[in-house]
Amino acid sequence: MSEALEAQQRLQAVARDPRAYLEQWRQAHPGGKVIGALPMNFPREIAYAAGVLPVIVQDDQKPVTEGRALLAEFYCGYTRNLADQAATGRFDMYDALFMADHCIQLIGSADIVRAVTPQPVFFGMLISSLSDSWAGAKIAEMMGEFRSELERFSGRTIEDHELRASIVAYNKDRQLLRRIFDDRSAGSAVHSPTQLQDYVVSSMVMDPVEHHRLLEAAVSEPASRDRDARVRVHLSGHLCHAPRRELLEVIEDSGALVVDDDLYTGRRYLSTDVDESLDPLDAIGKWYAQRNVNIPCPTRVQHDADWDEYLVEATRSSGAEAVIHLMPKFCEPHMLFYPELRKSLEAAGIPQLLIETEHEGIPLEAFRTRVEALVELTLRKRPVHV
Amino acid sequence: MTRRVLGVDLGSTTAKAVVVDEAGAILASSTVAMGAVSRAGMHRCIDEAVGRAGIEVGDVSGTISTGYGRKLVPGIQRSYTEITCHARGVAAMVPGVRLIVDIGGQDSKAITVDKDGLVVDFAMNDRCASGTGRFYEVLARAIEIELPELGPLAMRGSQDLEVSSMCATFAETEIVSLMAQDMRVEDIASSVHRAIAGRTLALVAQVGRRTPVVMTGGVARNPAAVHFLSRALDHEVLVPEQPQISGAYGAALLAMESFLRTSPPVPDVPGADFIFPRVDHTAAGHSCAGCDGHLRGKVELGAAIPLRSS
């Protein structure tokens, strides 16, 4: 087996079974601490600088059982899955849990996590309103709290040079991922959406230096594959967890070719680097703010950042002919924004399809029909060049 | 000899087949209720349609399939979704249509089309059988009548009993409860139809209300379903003579455009600049702009495709 293929398989294995990776990591780092970080904006750089492995908690795709009694059905599937992981002891692979967000549904799950897990839980609410004059100071203050809390948890002081090194490690990993995504939006069809999802999810789980080394090996062999005649689509949505792989496969199996996305387990995750030239903590605060400029998030309020404008521009830039919205059921931020997205794409003449996803029960054949119908109507719009 | 093509719509409960000639005229059709997607029912349906057209299956110049079982139909050149096929078929049956409500055995769809009969937008149920043909079957069973009697019975109802239509299973319980209260079956039937129409209205809202409205699918043969949908939309709902075959007819028309055209299409669509010459493609699976598919490497364009220079 080639080194590239071996690395690809390793990344896939980590993405699909984080628990196994964490067990191996603990064996290799006796006494090392692992924290589970709830999405979407936890500053992992601070934790890594403290010698802690920060792992973004994934939807483990298991059926919701005990968690059903803890969070109502009108919470999104991911948050109910988090509650279920907490309630059934599946968070035992973490030494502590951290959250740095403001999504109303994630906050609900954080309360459950705090109530039922024996591990320490730190919930730092990053502000969502970014247009106010005091926003920068509030973000910096919260980043300082994360630093203090992580120092307390790890039992050591985080030096600035350690923070800088951590920033460099995560930037380097994001930059390599971004290069792969940029290649795709520029025309390369080498990587399937499930493969790219595995690359990103494994990055969310692994030590950044180790991940970068493996990813570099995974893409080390020259490969080229141009886009074929399938309809080029942009996947939009799934702001805090991965869409099911089966769904991504059905989309590409139904005549569509994914050329770009703004998924959390896609371009949204790797959109922004931390500025290495600034004071490290200030830079991490600015990273949080800048992420919403680079790819706007509907959980935030910022007058000069619009997801709909971003989406139309992104389709132009990648040559996407259609947009498939992947909206988790009961994702309130996405539901709130969706009418604006729809109107903007309609005005731009871009065909679109809304697929509402659920944690359990995915009607793949019905989705297949709908994607094929989108493909058929988009093909009819293709201009003929003579 | 005039060449013929075949469109086959293999749905969840019924197979439909239509044979058309080079002009797109329906030569014969067949509808076979088969319970669930069934190969035997499909073969019987195809045999009946080609037999009625006075030809053999081997005489068919091309076949396009649609419906949930579209990949099961043998000998096809390609398949299209029922959304595209219903739009194509209904646009030919009722020129000028803008909104199609198709209610089949297990799904319901709302499709908006443009002036050329091309799909603009669509919405369909994907998790729930509420408002589909299956729901009417549940109702007929609960009130112990045959399905064809259901529509006329519901038309005689007068009192609105406000039946929930959210779930076929729970609605059955509700119907039994109403019967236990000695409510008139006419009122129960009409109330269920009214509730289903409300459910369909929600589907229509996803694509936007347009007129003229056409209802297709097996449920369109139920006069009460059409009546209550018309009241819910506050607009006349048109029903083609054979509402069940519109998908198969659309598939046959797409087959006709793909396989029978012998001359380059005339660009009669606004914005069209060119008469596009016939092009031979060699790449397997190639599908170019507006292409209706490929047949042994040869691709031809449909007549209603605007050709633009940029």
Side-chain angles (χ1 to χ4, degrees):
Chain A
M1 189 189 298
S2 73
E3 190 194 358
L5 188 58
E6 206 172 325
Q8 288 167 16
Q9 290 183 352
R10 174 73 179 138
L11 293 171
Q12 183 189 88
V14 173
R16 299 181 186 192
D17 188 2
R19 177 177 285 272
Y21 170 76
L22 295 186
E23 284 167 5
Q24 292 158 8
W25 187 89
R26 283 186 189 282
Q27 281 173 8
H29 301 81
K33 288 184 173 175
V34 177
I35 62 165
L38 303 191
M40 301 171 279
N41 295 293
F42 178 73
R44 292 161 77 206
E45 288 82 353
I46 303 175
Y48 189 65
V52 171
L53 180 67
V55 175
I56 297 178
V57 180
Q58 302 295 315
D59 178 342
D60 68 4
Q61 305 202 343
K62 291 196 167 64
V64 178
T65 55
E66 292 181 37
R68 204 170 284 275
L70 298 169
L71 272 185
E73 294 286 335
F74 50 78
Y75 275 78
C76 72
Y78 174 63
T79 52
R80 288 189 298 116
N81 175 257
L82 290 180
D84 199 61
Q85 290 189 50
T88 55
R90 275 138 54 206
F91 276 173
D92 62 358
M93 57 183 170
Y94 308 118
D95 298 306
L97 288 134
F98 279 71
M99 177 173 172
D101 232 297
H102 41 254
C103 166
I104 189 70
Q105 306 239 347
L106 278 167
I107 290 171
S109 67
D111 280 342
I112 300 299
V113 171
R114 193 154 41 191
V116 303
T117 53
Q119 300 96 318
V121 176
F122 181 76
F123 177 21
M125 177 99 104
L126 282 164
I127 63 162
S128 58
S129 176
L130 300 178
S131 294
D132 301 303
S133 55
W134 40 264
K138 292 297 289 182
I139 296 167
E141 187 184 315
M142 182 51 69
M143 292 303 173
E145 282 192 42
F146 280 124
R147 183 178 192 157
S148 305
E149 192 61 32
L150 282 157
E151 284 178 338
R152 203 163 24 250
F153 170 71
S154 63
R156 54 175 282 194
T157 303
I158 301 171
E159 303 294 344
D160 274 1
H161 71 88
E162 293 172 318
L163 202 44
R164 287 186 198 284
S166 175
I167 287 169
V168 169
Y170 278 104
N171 276 352
K172 212 170 152 188
D173 196 35
R174 272 191 294 258
Q175 283 157 8
L176 181 52
L177 281 167
R178 197 158 56 240
R179 197 192 81 201
I180 299 167
F181 275 73
D182 286 348
D183 285 348
R184 177 176 73 168
S185 56
S188 168
V190 168
H191 297 100
S192 71
T194 50
Q195 195 172 21
L196 290 183
Q197 182 167 293
D198 284 338
Y199 289 172
V200 173
V201 171
S202 56
S203 168
M204 293 174 164
V205 171
M206 294 177 78
D207 177 298
V209 176
E210 185 185 2
H211 185 266
H212 180 265
R213 193 173 59 243
L214 271 175
L215 187 59
E216 218 167 25
V219 297
S220 60
E221 289 178 0
S224 73
R225 188 182 306 135
D226 293 334
R227 293 170 178 174
D228 55 26
R230 282 176 288 174
V231 166
R232 304 181 298 275
V233 300
H234 178 111
L235 299 184
S236 179
H238 260 254
L239 304 162
C240 69
H241 69 288
R244 297 219 166 211
R245 288 187 297 276
E246 309 92 278
L247 176 56
L248 299 177
E249 284 161 3
V250 159
I251 288 170
E252 287 225 321
D253 193 36
S254 302
L257 179 74
V258 178
V259 296
D260 201 4
D261 70 63
D262 57 51
L263 310 175
Y264 180 56
T265 48
R267 200 177 266 286
R268 191 175 289 277
Y269 168 76
L270 47 96
S271 72
T272 310
D273 289 336
V274 181
D275 191 334
E276 295 172 20
S277 67
L278 302 176
D279 168 80
L281 209 59
D282 284 351
I284 291 171
K286 286 190 167 57
W287 163 83
Y288 168 71
Q290 187 61 30
R291 287 189 80 204
N292 196 50
V293 177
N294 291 354
I295 300 186
C297 173
T299 61
R300 303 210 215 168
V301 179
Q302 188 170 354
H303 304 310
D304 55 350
D306 280 315
W307 189 7
D308 45 342
E309 281 176 23
Y310 166 81
L311 192 50
V312 171
E313 187 49 44
T315 59
R316 286 186 180 134
S317 153
S318 68
E321 300 166 280
V323 170
I324 298 179
H325 305 276
L326 300 179
M327 184 195 290
K329 193 167 191 167
F330 301 123
C331 176
E332 289 179 40
H334 198 163
M335 285 158 68
L336 185 70
F337 238 81
Y338 174 68
E340 294 303 316
L341 301 178
R342 185 181 173 94
K343 277 187 231 162
S344 292
L345 290 168
E346 268 174 10
I350 300 167
Q352 55 191 313
L353 173 68
L354 170 64
I355 291 181
E356 189 183 57
T357 65
E358 288 188 67
H359 180 68
E360 289 159 61
I362 178 164
L364 283 178
E365 284 312 306
F367 287 168
R368 186 188 302 278
T369 295
R370 292 166 64 183
V371 175
E372 284 185 14
L374 175 76
V375 165
E376 287 164 4
L377 79 86
T378 308
L379 277 174
R380 292 271 182 177
K381 290 172 78 82
R382 258 185 199 176
V384 176
H385 295 279
V386 292
Chain B
M1 180 186 168
T2 306
R3 292 185 296 171
R4 281 94 168 184
V5 291
L6 178 66
V8 180
D9 178 358
L10 188 55
S12 56
T13 58
T14 314
K16 286 80 66 177
V18 172
V19 180
V20 303
D21 65 14
E22 289 179 58
I26 297 177
L27 298 178
S29 68
S30 171
T31 302
V32 172
M34 53 197 187
V37 170
S38 146
R39 282 192 169 88
M42 171 188 66
H43 284 299
R44 186 153 64 86
C45 182
I46 292 172
D47 289 345
E48 275 183 14
V50 296
R52 286 170 188 167
I55 57 174
E56 303 286 332
V57 172
D59 298 330
V60 171
S61 300
T63 304
I64 282 181
S65 64
T66 188
Y68 273 122
R70 58 187 176 277
K71 304 280 164 55
L72 299 174
V73 180
I76 57 168
Q77 275 67 47
R78 70 166 296 167
S79 62
Y80 279 101
T81 62
E82 48 272 43
I83 292 153
T84 294
C85 290
H86 274 283
R88 185 70 187 88
V90 175
M93 288 170 157
V94 187
V97 62
R98 287 291 184 276
L99 172 64
I100 300 162
V101 177
D102 173 66
I103 304 185
Q106 287 184 2
D107 70 13
S108 49
K109 308 175 202 74
I111 307 165
T112 50
V113 295
D114 66 13
K115 59 183 171 42
D116 302 315
L118 301 179
V119 176
V120 174
D121 201 358
F122 62 92
M124 61 187 289
N125 66 323
D126 54 21
R127 291 178 178 83
C128 173
S130 175
T132 69
R134 182 72 73 198
F135 200 100
Y136 290 97
E137 287 172 15
V138 168
L139 170 62
R141 189 178 65 211
I143 60 178
E144 296 181 294
I145 61 166
E146 294 299 317
L147 197 56
E149 301 167 31
L150 189 58
L153 180 79
M155 291 295 281
R156 297 199 296 273
S158 54
Q159 191 182 351
D160 184 358
L161 302 175
E162 295 188 6
V163 175
S164 160
S165 70
M166 295 305 288
C167 169
T169 305
F170 292 152
E172 185 172 13
T173 315
E174 207 169 335
I175 292 162
V176 171
S177 169
L178 289 168
M179 291 179 72
Q181 295 169 47
D182 282 334
M183 295 295 176
R184 295 171 65 233
V185 286
E186 292 90 341
D187 290 337
I188 295 171
S190 66
S191 299
V192 172
H193 279 73
R194 190 179 293 109
I196 292 174
R199 182 82 168 160
T200 307
L201 201 58
L203 199 65
V204 169
Q206 292 181 44
V207 296
R209 206 181 292 202
R210 307 273 192 283
T211 55
V213 189
V214 172
M215 188 170 176
T216 61
V219 172
R221 295 187 305 163
N222 174 338
V226 179
H227 169 74
F228 283 103
L229 178 63
S230 178
R231 277 181 46 176
L233 288 168
D234 195 22
H235 203 277
E236 182 187 13
V237 173
L238 306 171
V239 179
E241 196 177 335
Q242 298 184 76
Q244 262 185 301
I245 65 163
S246 58
Y249 179 41
L253 291 176
L254 289 167
M256 183 267 290
E257 290 167 3
S258 296
F259 311 130
L260 298 189
R261 190 171 305 286
T262 53
S263 58
V266 177
D268 57 354
V269 178
D273 304 325
F274 295 94
I275 294 175
F276 195 76
R278 188 187 301 182
V279 177
D280 287 334
H281 292 275
T282 52
H286 185 98
S287 177
C288 64
C291 166
D292 287 325
H294 53 86
L295 177 62
R296 291 183 290 278
K298 176 170 284 188
V299 180
E300 297 174 18
L301 296 169
I305 299 166
L307 308 177
R308 297 186 292 270
S309 56
S310 60

